[in-house]
Amino acid sequence: MVKRKLVAVGIGVLLIAGTGYGVYAKEVAAKEKALSVQWASVERGDVTETVSASGTVQTPEQIKMSFSGSSGRLTSITAKVGDQVQAGQVLATVDNLAVKAQVANAQANVISAQAKLAQARQGATAEAIAVQQASVDKAKTAWDGTKQAYENQWVLYNDRTAAQQAVTNAQNQLDNAKIQVQSAQAGLEGANAKLAAAQKGPSDADVNAARTSVDVAQEQLDNARDQLNNAENQLDYAYATATSANNSSNSTSLDVQKQIDQAQSVLNQARSAYNQARANLANAQKQLDNLEAGPDANVVAQMQAAVKQSQAALDQAQAAYNAAQQNLSYAKQNYENRAQAKAQLDSVKNNVDQAEAAYQSALAQLNQVQAPPDSNTILAAQAVVAQAQAQLQQQQATLNNYTLTSPIDAIVTQVNGKVGEIPSASNPVVILNDANTHNLQVMAQVSQTDVGKLQSGQKAEFSSSAYPDKTFYGKVLMIYPEATTQNGVTSYNVLLSVDNNEGLLKAGMTTNVTIITGVHNNVLFVPAQVLKEVNGQDGVYVSDSNDAGTNGGAKQNKNTSSTTGTNANVTFRPITTGLFSSDRVEITSGLSEGDKVAMSLPSSADKKATGGFSLGGGSSKATGGLAAKGGK
């Protein structure tokens, strides 16, 4: 029994010892892992500093096409969005029929002027002399006609019959106008009487009659409701009878259906009579309400409108009467005053004088045509030709404004308007982009923290989600001086060129922009992750030994320049930096090529104050540092 107890105790001791050793081994491994450090060497190479941004592709030139000086309707639009057009290609036209007519007229004027110039140079032809002789004869005939008209007017001037008849006609018009005024006055009086009656409203007898109509309509509605109920009961009875008949052989199904149809017909008539009775009651009640409400506003308004219309008719008749009085007065004055008749006689005499002058002018032109060519006449004809040609060119230029043609090879990006519409003067009909060029532009937005690094001429690289495996190249063209702020973020617009030789990029595409702000070749650098800041000073943690790989069993990685170890002592060393890239930092002072710098801090050290600690068993003295000595 004792032996069994001893054996059990021994087994328990062994289990406890084994468990304790396992826990101890895990703690030791964890501490070694926590105190391990990864090292990197200071190397020599190239460091490229960049600024990243996003931007939108745009064309360097945009042309807005509108119709200049034309207001006609669009007759054709041949351009479509996305079309690639050639220089001189027609894009749209507006109605130009009127301008074409003006061009044709200008062309005719040129031809006429040229013909007259040719005629001036070679003298008058027999045909021209004949034409001018015909003009002389026509002028002579017109002169003779005016002389005959003057003789006729002289007879009228001495004849008073027409003037007397004018007075009589004017008196008749005045009498008719007076009758119209009297008739309009009677109409106005009648309209006012009707308005007064409408404003007075209905009488007590009318109201009582309307109430009686309501009572009668109510009684008819009650009777119709009773008849409707009876009809519904009759239909229910017919259906019940049908059910009973189906259970016996005394009645046929045809007789039963006939009874149902009759009952249904009676019900339909009763329901129609009931609905009509309801409508009659509603109308009677409405009439009663209208009468009890007093005068009908609509009727009063109609009567008032009739009064205004009658008043307008009276005013018009009075105006016609006044005009007739003036006409009668004028006719009497004309009859009594001979001045107007004398003026008419003088006017006809003036026509005689003008016809005689026209005849003398035509005769002079005939004599001129028959005369030999004159140098001054030729010069004048040449001037007329030049003036006509200038007017033709002007009209042709105006006609060209009614047709939009592309000035360059371009792509149509916007079309405004449809055939039949009048184009707006403020809105271009067609917008073209010079998208055939191989050098497009990108407008990027750069944050204010990076804009100070930019300057014109810096190289840039572009990528787009449309071509994920493609890189495009360009350079900075201009940094805009005005800032834009959106959602509390201040940025500046930067214009860049982008090479588009393959024609892949399109206007409006979004791109990622990387601007190269500086490149230093063959300089010292360290990985960006080793850079630390202690008390406002940039620096790195370096090994106390020149070879971190020999401290306390540290080992060198085979495939990288980093080294790991567990017993290394480290020191914070201030440094001076140059350019920064995404993964490396230029070192201008403080380190030498081959120096070992710590890439990662032990987890135990990350929780202590900055200043440093000793790897491999040393006690920590400050948080965040690896250097036990807080190097200078």
Side-chain angles (χ1 to χ4, degrees), residues 456-594:
S456 299
Q458 289 175 335
K459 296 181 179 180
E461 297 179 355
F462 307 86
S463 62
S464 173
S465 58
Y467 311 103
D469 299 328
K470 183 73 174 177
T471 301
F472 303 88
Y473 300 94
K475 63 180 180 179
V476 176
L477 296 178
M478 182 174 61
I479 299 101
Y480 287 80
E482 294 185 1
T484 59
T485 302
Q486 187 174 6
N487 297 328
V489 178
T490 301
S491 60
Y492 290 81
N493 287 332
V494 177
L495 185 65
L496 306 99
S497 66
V498 56
D499 189 1
N500 189 36
N501 287 329
E502 299 181 32
L504 299 178
L505 294 177
K506 309 297 181 184
M509 283 186 173
T510 301
T511 62
N512 295 320
V513 184
T514 301
I515 303 172
I516 301 173
T517 59
V519 178
H520 287 176
N521 300 319
N522 195 26
V523 295
L524 296 179
F525 70 87
V526 295
Q529 68 189 78
V530 307
L531 189 63
K532 309 295 179 184
E533 183 178 341
V534 176
N535 297 328
Q537 175 65 57
D538 291 335
V540 296
Y541 288 100
V542 299
S543 171
D544 288 347
S545 172
N546 289 333
D547 187 1
T550 62
N551 292 334
K555 56 184 179 181
Q556 182 77 28
N557 290 342
K558 294 180 179 181
N559 298 325
T560 67
S561 61
S562 64
T563 305
T564 60
T566 59
N567 295 322
N569 293 327
V570 295
T571 303
F572 179 78
R573 181 182 297 177
I575 62 172
T576 304
T577 60
L579 298 182
F580 283 75
S581 69
S582 60
D583 60 348
R584 58 180 62 176
V585 180
E586 178 188 2
I587 305 300
T588 58
S589 65
L591 292 175
S592 301
E593 185 176 1

Side-chain angles (χ1 to χ4, degrees), residues 229-262:
N229 293 333
N230 293 333
E232 290 176 344
N233 293 333
Q234 290 295 326
L235 181 61
D236 293 339
Y237 176 76
Y239 277 112
T241 302
T243 302
S244 176
N246 289 334
N247 298 328
S248 65
S249 59
N250 295 330
S251 300
T252 64
S253 59
L254 183 61
D255 294 336
V256 172
Q257 184 62 44
K258 183 176 181 181
Q259 293 176 359
I260 293 175
D261 294 340
Q262 289 177 350

Side-chain angles (χ1 to χ4, degrees), residues 132-144 146 350-366:
Q132 193 59 44
Q133 181 63 55
S135 297
V136 171
D137 296 340
K138 181 178 180 180
K140 181 65 169 60
T141 301
W143 183 25
D144 294 339
T146 57
N350 184 51
N351 293 338
V352 173
D353 296 338
Q354 291 179 354
E356 183 180 6
Y359 168 74
Q360 296 297 336
S361 176
L363 186 60
Q365 291 178 0
L366 174 62

Side-chain angles (χ1 to χ4, degrees), residues 114-395:
Q114 290 174 341
K116 290 181 179 180
L117 174 60
Q119 181 179 353
R121 286 174 174 170
Q122 55 185 305
T125 61
E127 292 81 2
I129 295 175
V131 169
Q132 193 59 44
Q133 181 63 55
S135 297
V136 171
D137 296 340
K138 181 178 180 180
K140 181 65 169 60
T141 301
W143 183 25
D144 294 339
T146 57
K147 289 190 291 184
Q148 183 61 46
Y150 178 74
E151 293 177 359
N152 295 336
Q153 188 65 33
W154 177 260
V155 173
L156 292 176
Y157 176 74
N158 294 307
D159 187 2
R160 309 300 308 280
T161 305
Q164 181 62 43
Q165 185 62 41
V167 173
T168 302
N169 293 338
Q171 183 63 53
N172 294 335
Q173 291 178 356
L174 179 62
D175 295 340
N176 292 332
K178 184 177 181 180
I179 295 173
Q180 293 297 326
V181 170
Q182 293 173 348
S183 176
Q185 286 175 340
L188 178 60
E189 292 173 356
N192 283 325
K194 292 180 180 180
L195 174 60
Q199 290 174 337
K200 182 179 179 182
S203 63
D204 294 339
D206 294 335
V207 175
N208 292 331
R211 289 174 180 169
T212 301
S213 297
V214 170
D215 295 338
V216 171
Q218 182 63 53
E219 182 177 356
Q220 291 176 349
L221 177 62
D222 294 339
N223 294 333
R225 183 183 296 108
D226 294 339
Q227 293 177 3
L228 177 61
N229 293 333
N230 293 333
E232 290 176 344
N233 293 333
Q234 290 295 326
L235 181 61
D236 293 339
Y237 176 76
Y239 277 112
T241 302
T243 302
S244 176
N246 289 334
N247 298 328
S248 65
S249 59
N250 295 330
S251 300
T252 64
S253 59
L254 183 61
D255 294 336
V256 172
Q257 184 62 44
K258 183 176 181 181
Q259 293 176 359
I260 293 175
D261 294 340
Q262 289 177 350
Q264 183 65 52
S265 175
V266 171
L267 175 62
N268 292 338
Q269 293 176 0
R271 183 176 289 112
S272 177
Y274 175 73
N275 293 334
Q276 182 62 43
R278 287 182 60 186
N280 293 338
L281 176 60
N283 291 333
Q285 186 64 49
K286 182 179 180 181
Q287 292 178 359
L288 176 59
D289 293 341
N290 291 337
L291 291 175
E292 289 179 342
D296 190 340
N298 293 330
V299 174
V300 172
Q302 292 176 358
M303 295 299 101
Q304 289 175 339
V307 169
K308 291 182 180 179
Q309 185 176 3
S310 299
Q311 183 64 52
L314 176 59
D315 295 340
Q316 183 177 4
Q318 187 64 47
Y321 178 78
N322 296 337
Q325 283 183 324
Q326 292 181 353
N327 290 336
L328 177 59
S329 175
Y330 175 77
K332 290 180 177 179
Q333 291 178 1
N334 185 44
Y335 179 78
E336 296 172 358
N337 187 2
R338 303 290 291 160
Q340 183 176 2
K342 184 65 169 60
Q344 292 178 348
L345 181 62
D346 294 340
S347 176
V348 175
K349 180 62 171 63
N350 184 51
N351 293 338
V352 173
D353 296 338
Q354 291 179 354
E356 183 180 6
Y359 168 74
Q360 296 297 336
S361 176
L363 186 60
Q365 291 178 0
L366 174 62
N367 296 331
Q368 184 179 2
V369 167
Q370 292 174 339
D374 180 65
S375 60
N376 293 331
T377 303
I378 295 175
L379 292 177
Q382 290 175 338
V384 173
V385 169
Q387 184 179 7
Q389 289 175 339
Q391 292 178 349
L392 174 60
Q393 293 174 355
Q394 182 179 1
Q395 294 299 332

